[in-house]
Amino acid sequence: MLKYCALISLCALVGSGAEFVTGQGARLVIGQRTFTAQEAGTAQNLLGGAGALTYANGKLYIADANRLNLTPINNRVLVMDTATFPKPTDELAPYSSRCPVCVGQASLVLGQTNFTDNGFGTAADKFRFPTGIHSDGVRLAVSDTLNNRVLIWKSLPTTTGHPADVVVGQSRMDQNKSPVVTDAKSLRAPQGVWMQNGKLFVADAQNHRVLIWNSIPTTNEQPADIVLGQGNMTAFEELDPIKKNITIAADSLLTPTSVSSDGVRLFVTDQIGRAHV
């Protein structure tokens, strides 16, 4: 298992109408005490091998785990208030600290009861390898990959350890069914998750498909309405591109890991080495 200490760098546009330029340096760093540090651990201002994030209503939500299995896996989501970050045009006070642009102290954590624990579990307030996260500004969804489920909060959490309200992929919060039976209600190692126009999109990676709910689920194990990448909801073939030729087509997917939308089009990453639109 590889060891990796994550940080998040934030670039800022300075001035009206300013643009990013190639090679532009970041203004702020989150998750490490300096831009060059690679400290491992679990703390309020320290990230492990973080893999996904989303922003909503002034808050940054960071899934502190990753699909590459780079350690430490902290099995949590950190929530940070971006109002505490320096603004793009703020003058940074010299010598105010060792690194005045190393910011980002979490205000609360999900999946753990404190900022130093990183154990995993199967419950409404636990994760096992959360690798995808998204908010539509009202709700929060987290793909809890090794629990074969997506957890949904009907409103943005405001307290540490706040339990999820709804689970899809399982019938109960304390359940992780094995073996996984492929159908409209199941997930197998989901990763990317997205909410747009009242719909939920999930990259169901090891089922080689994307599932779509036409309305955000409000009950546990609510079945998906649409499947992409497979001919029907029960189709499943374990694909190994090393051992066999894989049929590559406009309607096929191989381990999709990310999904997004601009409200009109849907974008999906595909391990065949392409992105679908």
Side-chain angles (χ1 to χ4, degrees), residues 4-9 29-40 45-47 98-99 102:
Y4 177 73
C5 306
L7 56 80
I8 296 173
S9 295
V29 63
I30 297 170
Q32 293 292 324
R33 293 181 173 87
T34 70
F35 273 104
T36 57
Q38 297 186 46
E39 182 179 351
N45 60 350
L46 190 64
L47 291 169
R98 182 182 178 190
C99 180
C102 301

Side-chain angles (χ1 to χ4, degrees), residues 47 49-54 61-66 76-78 130-133 142-143:
L47 291 169
L53 53 75
T54 189
Y61 300 80
I62 305 169
D64 201 0
N66 63 89
R76 65 182 185 174
V77 168
L78 288 184
T131 61
I133 186 169
V142 177
S143 59

